[in-house]
Amino acid sequence: MDSSSNWSLSIFSSLLAILILTVPCFSEKAPYSTFAKDATSAPEVVFFDYIVIGGGTSGCALAATLSQRSNVLLLERGGLPYGNPNITNITGFANNLADTSPSSPAQLFISTDGVFNHRGRVLGGGSAVNAGFFSRASKGYVKKMGWDQKLVNEAYEWVEKKVAFQPQIKQWQSAVRNGLVEVGVKPYNGFTYEHLFGTKVGGTIFDPQGHRHTAADLLEYADPTKITVYLYATVQQILFKKEGGRKPRAYGVRFQDSKGNSHMAYLKEGSKNEVILSAGALGSPQMLMLSGIGPAKQLKAHGIYILVDQPMVGMGMSDNPMNAVFVPSPHPVEVSLIQVVGITGFKSYIEAASGPLELDWMRRIAHDFKNIANQTMDPLKIPSELHFPKGIPGINPHLLHTPMQAGLILEKVAGPYSTGFLELKSKDPNENPKVTFNYFKDPRDLQRCVQGMKAIAEVIESTFFSKFRYPFTSAQSLMDTMLTFPLNLRPRHLSASVSLEQFCIDTVMTIWHYHGGCQVGKVVDRNYRVFGVDGLRVIDGSTFIYSPGTNPQATVMMLGRYMGQKILKERLAGGRK
């Protein structure tokens, strides 16, 4: 072939790559009646170029991108988010989390630390059950991860066109914003998706009408002729084959539908075809272990064939600790979730939410959670008596039994430095694994919490926030009240009323930003390929060492798009890069 032919071929290939990766195929609007199906309708055997396990925050973006050039199967253990008002409407946020039914979109789990938590069990994953805040990772985080900043920005923009909005800032959020600036969390950066020190208004996945837009909406980018989504499909195991002295190679998965019928999904012939785990920080390490990749001692204890002895699977589990102050308001407040954030220099993030509620919900939650904990956790030191506030200074006691206007100001510890681990409880993929996060094990996290609580106290007592605080109510009295609420299953200490360190330890909650278990450099390489095997990647928040930005969901969606494009480029080039 002469040089002119090579030049023409090069131009043709470049143009083809641009068209494939930037021009969307004809699409279908949610809820995707042609390609999203109940797994009970799946054949016993199917073949695809890519099999994506988990239709969550990363999996939807990844599958949509891969379908632009390849045939993709997306397996999701839950159903569609559309049509469920607790998911689609901002007012249903608390009800969604309170749903503990076997098919709840927000599956409850309790860490061994005694902290209540949830994992998504619905198409869209955590983005269908969270508080909706949308903010990018910092440029320093992107650099540390080794990502291409230009391609990262393009991937963020691709996500934002479908799911991100500028929130309407009303009185409560304005008071928190102005209070943060007043107490020195500066500068004020206005509305931005960027991670900038100071106070800002971030994005939200709730539109101006209060309707949630989840990662499932990103499937509108998919080519409906090249993607199949099976709902209520629980993957049991990833299948591997060994040939000669080569590493084991993933060649398919076995999954089960809601009626208990077993189905097989195989990769088509081709060295570029892959199984990709996007089952989240609990699901991905759990599935690796169930498939024989994990700590040998643990696998052996459960009678699982050891394919690869990989002691780092399930390690590095972290959950960013959250501590909060409940603030009853003498004036009406809007229904709002996270919109404003103060990104402090000491690496604690201050945020807020508000709305009318009843304090009786705390009594109901205490009763329900004690029952749930007794059934699911052994052993846990569950308090025999859970006490409730007899009164908050400046508030008429009868208000505690009637609907009340109130808000929550919270702080999230960045990072965190503290890490824990995940262990299998059984061979049943439907059963949550046992998770330990070791909140505040590293003293640097505890110090950040203390500084964050001091900042919250200053905001509560700021001039701009005074309208929403009852007269004669101090930040300290509100913190003392928090010690009486059933926030978790951890023991209470009298010293927590005088020690912010003990307050942080006793009242810690989750902000649902847990990550780790399949970390880059330990379980997967920089291209998210699993060490020790071929044909398998993990692309989701389980690969993170630290939580990105003030909220990880934007970055997890971005990662699905970003890696989807990289994989397609590798496929087009015909070789690994």
Side-chain angles (χ1 to χ4, degrees), residues 419-493:
T419 64
F421 52 90
L422 175 150
E423 300 172 292
L424 289 180
K425 288 178 70 175
S426 76
K427 294 170 68 174
D428 182 0
N430 292 300
E431 184 172 11
N432 284 322
K434 181 180 177 181
V435 189
T436 300
F437 290 119
N438 285 327
Y439 297 101
F440 302 123
K441 182 179 180 181
D442 190 302
R444 290 173 291 183
D445 293 332
L446 189 58
Q447 188 55 40
R448 288 177 176 180
C449 178
V450 168
Q451 291 177 283
M453 295 311 302
K454 287 179 179 178
I456 287 176
E458 291 177 356
V459 170
I460 290 172
E461 296 180 352
S462 67
T463 303
F464 279 107
F465 195 76
S466 60
K467 175 183 176 181
F468 295 104
R469 185 182 70 249
Y470 276 90
F472 312 113
T473 300
S474 67
Q476 183 61 55
S477 67
L478 294 172
M479 284 193 231
D480 289 344
T481 300
M482 293 300 292
L483 292 167
T484 68
F485 289 159
L487 306 174
N488 56 42
L489 298 176
R490 297 163 78 87
R492 296 287 188 271
H493 299 82

Side-chain angles (χ1 to χ4, degrees), residues 11 16 57 64 90 96 139 176 200 210 283 301 323 329 360 408 438 454 489 502 506 538:
I11 293 175
L16 182 61
T57 317
I90 192 170
N96 203 16
K139 288 180 170 56
V176 173
K200 74 166 190 173
N323 293 80
S329 170
D360 280 341
L408 202 68
N438 285 327
K454 287 179 179 178
L489 298 176
Q502 196 63 55
D506 286 4
V538 180

Side-chain angles (χ1 to χ4, degrees), residues 213-538:
H213 294 260
T214 77
D217 291 12
L218 300 176
L219 291 172
E220 292 184 356
Y221 283 121
D223 183 338
T225 68
K226 293 182 178 178
I227 188 171
T228 299
V229 178
Y230 285 133
L231 305 167
Y232 304 108
T234 302
V235 175
Q236 308 291 306
Q237 188 180 31
I238 302 168
L239 306 174
F240 294 89
K241 59 184 176 182
K242 289 186 176 181
E243 295 179 350
R246 297 178 182 177
K247 290 186 291 185
R249 182 174 186 82
Y251 71 95
V253 305
R254 178 169 56 87
F255 67 96
Q256 200 172 74
D257 63 32
S258 58
K259 293 182 179 179
N261 299 314
S262 188
H263 305 262
M264 308 298 289
Y266 296 116
L267 294 176
K268 294 180 179 179
E269 288 295 326
S271 62
K272 294 299 173 184
N273 297 341
E274 294 177 311
V275 174
I276 304 175
L277 255 177
S278 296
L282 266 64
S284 288
Q286 180 186 30
M287 184 50 55
L288 285 182
M289 290 185 193
L290 292 176
S291 303
I293 303 172
K297 184 177 179 180
Q298 191 178 153
L299 300 185
K300 186 177 180 180
H302 288 282
I304 298 172
Y305 171 76
I306 301 168
L307 184 75
V308 178
D309 179 10
Q310 171 47 292
M312 298 309 296
V313 173
M315 299 300 292
M317 297 296 300
S318 293
D319 186 26
N320 296 83
M322 179 183 83
N323 293 80
V325 179
F326 173 78
V327 186
S329 170
H331 298 285
V333 296
E334 71 271 15
V335 175
S336 71
L337 294 175
I338 310 302
Q339 296 177 343
V340 170
V341 60
I343 301 176
T344 69
F346 51 83
K347 301 295 180 70
S348 177
Y349 307 141
I350 315 298
E351 304 171 354
S354 61
L357 51 81
E358 295 183 22
L359 285 188
D360 280 341
W361 70 272
M362 293 185 176
R363 292 171 173 80
R364 293 196 299 273
I365 285 178
H367 179 268
D368 292 343
F369 275 178
K370 279 183 70 177
N371 287 339
I372 291 166
N374 277 317
Q375 295 169 15
T376 59
M377 299 299 294
D378 183 27
L380 254 185
K381 293 181 180 178
I382 303 168
S384 57
E385 296 290 336
L386 285 169
H387 303 288
F388 298 90
K390 296 178 180 178
I392 300 174
I395 302 177
N396 189 323
H398 85 272
L399 290 177
L400 297 177
H401 303 283
T402 58
M404 177 181 285
Q405 301 289 330
L408 202 68
I409 304 181
L410 61 93
E411 66 87 29
K412 165 191 169 179
V413 173
Y417 288 109
S418 303
T419 64
F421 52 90
L422 175 150
E423 300 172 292
L424 289 180
K425 288 178 70 175
S426 76
K427 294 170 68 174
D428 182 0
N430 292 300
E431 184 172 11
N432 284 322
K434 181 180 177 181
V435 189
T436 300
F437 290 119
N438 285 327
Y439 297 101
F440 302 123
K441 182 179 180 181
D442 190 302
R444 290 173 291 183
D445 293 332
L446 189 58
Q447 188 55 40
R448 288 177 176 180
C449 178
V450 168
Q451 291 177 283
M453 295 311 302
K454 287 179 179 178
I456 287 176
E458 291 177 356
V459 170
I460 290 172
E461 296 180 352
S462 67
T463 303
F464 279 107
F465 195 76
S466 60
K467 175 183 176 181
F468 295 104
R469 185 182 70 249
Y470 276 90
F472 312 113
T473 300
S474 67
Q476 183 61 55
S477 67
L478 294 172
M479 284 193 231
D480 289 344
T481 300
M482 293 300 292
L483 292 167
T484 68
F485 289 159
L487 306 174
N488 56 42
L489 298 176
R490 297 163 78 87
R492 296 287 188 271
H493 299 82
L494 290 175
S495 60
S497 63
V498 294
S499 165
L500 281 178
E501 285 86 353
Q502 196 63 55
F503 177 90
C504 288
I505 292 168
D506 286 4
T507 66
V508 66
M509 295 175 282
T510 184
I511 197 167
W512 305 285
H513 295 173
Y514 54 91
H515 52 278
C518 298
Q519 292 176 322
V520 171
K522 298 177 182 180
V523 176
V524 299
D525 66 17
R526 288 276 184 167
N527 287 311
Y528 300 91
R529 294 188 178 96
V530 177
F531 292 132
V533 297
D534 286 326
L536 178 64
R537 303 194 204 216
V538 180

Side-chain angles (χ1 to χ4, degrees), residues 76-79 99-108 119-123 125-126 129 232 430:
E76 167 53 43
R77 69 194 184 112
D99 180 3
T100 57
S101 64
S103 60
S104 168
Q107 183 182 9
L108 175 70
R119 57 189 295 211
R121 182 168 46 192
V122 61
L123 193 69
V129 301
Y232 304 108
N430 292 300

